[in-house]
Amino acid sequence: MPSVPIKRDVLFDKLGQKMTDEEFDILCFQFGIELDEIFVDENDPKSIVQYKIDIPANRYDLLCIEGLSRALLVFLQKIEAPVYTAISPPTPIQTVVKSSTNGVRPYVVTAVLRNVTLDQVAYDSLIELQEKLHHNICRKRSLVAIGVHDLDTLTPPFVYSAEPQTEICFKPLNQDKEFRVDELMVFYQSSHHLKHYLHITKDEPLHPVIRDLKGVVVSIPPIINGDHSKVTMDTKNIFIECTATDLTKANIVLDILVTMIGEHAKVKFEAEATTVLYEETQEVKVYPSLAYRKESIDVKSVNELIGIDITAEEMAKGLSRMTLNSKVQNENTLEVEIPPTRHDVIHTCDIIEDVAIAYGYDNIEMNLPKTSCAAEQFPLNKLTDQLRESLAQAGFTEGLTFSLCSVDDECEKIRHPRADKEPTLARISNPKTLEFQAARNSLLPGILKTIQANKKMPLPLKLFEISDVVLLDSTQDTGARNERRLCAVNYNKTPGFEVIHGLLDRVMQNLEVPFHPTQGYSLRAAQDPTYFEGRCAEIVYGGKAFGKLGVLHPEVLENFELNLLGAALEISIENFL
Amino acid sequence: MSKAIQAGWLKIQKEGGEPKVVRAVDSIVDTVQKNLKALSKDVTVNVDLATVNEYKKRKLMQQVTVTSYKISKGNHFTTTIEKPETDLTLELISSGDWKVKKFKTYNFNALGTPVACGHLHPLLKVRSEFRQIFLEMGFSEMPTNRFIESSFWNFDALFQPQQHPARDAHDTFFLTRPANCSTIEPTYMEKVKKVHSVGDYGSQGYGYNWKIEEAQKNVMRTHTTAVSARMLYAAGEQKPFKPVKLFSIDRVFRNETLDATHLAEFHQVEGVVADRNITLGHLLGTIKQFFSRLGIEKIRFKPAYNPYTEPSMEIFAYHPGLKRWVEVGNSGMFRPEMLLPMDIPSDVHVIAWGLSLERPTMIRYGIDNIRDLVGPKVDLQMVYNNPLCRLDKHSN
């Protein structure tokens, strides 16, 4: 969930009222945001109190103080939601898109804001908003990259093309000399901030670049802007360009930037329209879109879905508080207008949520559905719980260990040769540490690790676990399935094979399976490197082995740093449903 | 000599050369000698306590305490020594000696012998309690024995877009083996593809190119909602539609940063109700009933966001111990974009809520570090000592 730091006093100034922290917390709770932290930046000489506010991931319009305060003012019915427009000048500023961008970053959307005044708060907010958008909807600049420029330093029209890195040379933002783009790819390796974005275009044959009429490099998205068109607090006219691989998201990002920064324009919330000409297709697009969408909703069905009963007028008023201005068409129909700040509204259900928020979730009457069903347990889980009880009654203690493990745990540590064993394991592709290399194939290593961590406990240590392991299975759509296993270990001064064997007999007795070569279960000698030679048996039922038991091999004990002796049992219980 | 000078009997002359000690008085009265002589004859003689203490300090007198006892025969007087019995034995019974022997007093201030028994794991005891609560409320258990899931069921079928941050390698475990799922039902897949990319069923969609390769990627499931999706799909296939109440409690996997309260795997609890004309008020009511079984009566709901539910709500409960509201779960109504491609009738609404199993367990038993509860580093003594799981009884 994105979080936004907001200066408390600036916020209350914009809201036109002071609140206590508790009052603001309650307001956040009702609105659907969260006051996560109240803090003071330790590097701030003025020690300004800030709120860290958690914003839902789909509300791009709340990612800056302008948008947040505006939405809260409308929610508190102090103002009406502004109307956002884009005026077309006689000759709109144009950006021509060359076909060379097709293979790397095909789309661009642009906008202009005239006569803006940026004080320190607005300037900081602008930088922060770009960062937040870049990090979230832009997927760390890979889908969309934003460039905000001082239009007065540039000469339109603009050309958006893609060129070899060595042919683009310019002075990047905050540098004092010129670099070629290939040099920048090396130079920025040491930039704490920019090194994360280099991979997006580093190995592409052509690099995106925007130039103005005089050939001045405006930006090389998604890496950095040119220093030439740097925005300062003196900037009056702003040019915004968003290059992208996802046009839908680029549009959303542009709408957000324009509607947010538009607060600082002389004619508030009025942008200047620009055009984008795709040279290959000769298609001309006008941006920013700032589209308003209308949807009709049925008052009765909205009331029924939520479980309330309000009039069309009340519903319209509530939606207007959520910046979804609505008109009553008749007592059962509302026409809802979705503004360009609310790209999160894509279906009627999004509108319905806002009706419920305006009503207040805590005001909705709580009822129980009349749905009557006879409950059923999942048979495997029912059997598992019964067996767990039975094993505890038999004097064994339950462990709970991890499903993810290292390959070592399943191979070397239990003396299974890696070459044979590893191909049978499900493997994780992006483990952060060794502990997450594979999904476990056996419950035994987990129990042995539990004993290893509890060696000081009185003897004997008798542990068990009944849980799932993961097996590869090509008959399943995913290529794998779970198998419910039961594993038990006896750890003491003697291995206690007879103890584990006795436990097996008890479990089979619980499952009503007699000890019989054909009509029940039986044991037969087996080889398994985990167990000591001659002290290992397979357990057979219906002609097939469903588990093993045996005395643990001394090397296995050593691998788990266990100083005493042990015997173990591991079986699948799925045959016994 | 210092005492003599102090008493004024002697004085030191320092004039001219070596100091000389000279007689200061002609005769002396040695009070100390007089008192000691008197005291040695009769210690009760009238010498004040301060003086006596001074003589003791100067080691001229020594106080010796002599204690005397007057002894007489008691009721159980005997000239033979007898050891008291610790317990009744069969010999004492058969010989009849139990009637005459003395028995040692029990020390009731010590504990008894610890019972040699097995124990169930604290978290799994909580799991059993939750299972019981759901069953009592009429919810049937979903088959969740499937840790490896396709992205299709884990994300796409739930209307979670392919570029969503949660599908990043940072948050989700992907598999190299088995890397992809082999089959997705083609007609259903086309519906999912359409609603994601260009929209359908009254939705604008997300406006991006939906790729089958992304959907085929296997993951360690990030939520049991993937199973709920499969179950709802099966419910949609059943004609006519029958309402269902389902629950699950099982492991999920997140590739997130680990800390004292977060592990890569944990247990998710989920409840689902699908029926005609279910309302948001029903969701609130069901959640209230569920949490009251856990002994939690004061709850509030906050608007939230999930990709697959709308409206969505976070559930907050008042914790009397911590004296503040804490988040205890998440909930919502599944989006039409998820349900309608499954052929679920449009007047059927599906409500769902979920929470983790570990969090309430840690709060209930006062455990700060999750590794003390789950995994091999669990303290077995804690497991041995863990009481019955009675969730509606608050710890003090």
Side-chain angles (χ1 to χ4, degrees), chain A residues 132-198:
Chain A
K132 289 276 175 282
L133 289 170
H134 270 156
H135 196 79
N136 295 304
I137 184 178
C138 302
R139 292 306 311 282
K140 300 200 184 89
R141 302 195 191 183
S142 58
L143 298 180
V144 184
I146 304 165
V148 178
H149 309 276
D150 188 326
L151 182 58
D152 297 331
T153 65
L154 299 168
T155 317
F158 299 100
V159 174
Y160 173 47
S161 63
E163 297 165 22
Q165 292 181 16
T166 47
E167 290 176 21
I168 310 168
C169 194
F170 72 114
K171 190 162 81 148
L173 186 67
N174 295 330
Q175 296 300 326
D176 49 17
K177 70 175 178 109
E178 294 206 339
F179 285 82
R180 288 197 321 262
V181 173
D182 59 307
E183 289 170 331
L184 286 176
M185 288 298 177
V186 175
F187 181 69
Y188 283 138
Q189 301 269 26
S190 51
S191 162
H192 184 71
H193 177 55
L194 294 174
K195 65 182 181 184
H196 305 288
Y197 309 117
L198 301 176

Side-chain angles (χ1 to χ4, degrees), chain B residues 134-374:
Chain B
F134 274 115
L135 292 168
E136 284 170 15
M137 287 171 70
F139 284 73
S140 289
E141 199 170 19
M142 294 190 252
T144 52
N145 50 336
R146 176 200 293 272
F147 290 162
I148 294 178
E149 188 57 275
S150 65
S151 289
F152 182 78
W153 285 110
N154 199 73
F155 297 119
D156 296 280
L158 295 169
F159 197 55
Q160 194 158 346
Q162 289 182 340
Q163 308 127 320
H164 193 275
R167 293 176 82 151
D168 223 8
H170 294 296
D171 290 344
T172 302
F173 288 111
F174 288 89
L175 284 310
T176 49
R177 186 204 300 136
N180 296 308
C181 81
S182 52
T183 50
I184 304 171
E185 204 281 299
T187 324
Y188 175 52
M189 187 181 74
E190 279 306 310
K191 292 183 189 170
V192 171
K193 175 177 174 175
K194 186 171 179 207
V195 76
H196 274 242
S197 48
V198 297
D200 202 354
Y201 308 106
S203 175
Q204 302 294 304
Y206 292 122
Y208 74 99
N209 287 333
W210 189 89
K211 296 204 185 76
I212 188 178
E213 295 78 20
E214 278 300 312
Q216 283 171 329
K217 289 183 184 169
N218 280 338
V219 300
M220 297 301 295
R221 68 169 173 220
T222 60
H223 42 205
T224 48
T225 323
V227 179
S228 305
R230 285 187 185 255
M231 299 297 287
L232 288 170
Y233 179 77
E237 284 191 306
Q238 261 214 339
K239 314 275 184 219
F241 177 82
K242 286 202 199 62
V244 289
K245 282 163 69 167
L246 305 167
F247 82 93
S248 63
I249 309 172
D250 209 339
R251 282 182 209 221
V252 298
F253 305 85
R254 303 266 172 98
N255 192 12
E256 285 171 347
T257 332
L258 308 181
D259 61 30
T261 51
H262 293 94
L263 286 171
E265 34 186 303
F266 62 98
H267 291 75
Q268 185 184 338
V269 177
E270 181 156 312
V272 177
V273 180
D275 199 356
R276 299 198 136 89
N277 306 316
I278 291 268
T279 70
L280 194 61
H282 288 144
L283 177 58
L284 299 174
T286 307
I287 291 172
K288 177 132 172 68
Q289 185 186 56
F290 177 81
F291 278 94
S292 72
R293 297 299 183 94
L294 304 178
I296 295 171
E297 293 296 342
K298 280 167 91 168
I299 55 173
R300 287 161 74 198
F301 299 91
K302 176 177 151 287
Y305 167 68
N306 294 316
Y308 37 88
T309 55
E310 188 87 5
S312 313
M313 314 180 303
E314 271 164 19
I315 312 162
F316 282 75
Y318 188 74
H319 192 280
L322 298 171
K323 290 203 181 1
R324 61 181 167 91
W325 294 86
V326 292
E327 189 189 331
V328 292
N330 210 330
S331 66
M333 294 186 102
F334 283 129
R335 293 190 70 109
E337 294 97 328
M338 171 184 160
L339 301 174
L340 297 175
M342 292 178 178
D343 265 346
I344 291 178
S346 54
D347 60 340
V348 171
H349 301 130
V350 185
I351 54 175
W353 77 99
L355 59 154
S356 90
L357 196 62
E358 281 77 358
R359 192 145 186 261
T361 308
M362 285 170 69
I363 294 175
R364 176 66 176 77
Y365 295 121
I367 298 170
D368 292 320
N369 191 324
I370 195 172
R371 282 162 197 72
D372 293 336
L373 177 65
V374 180

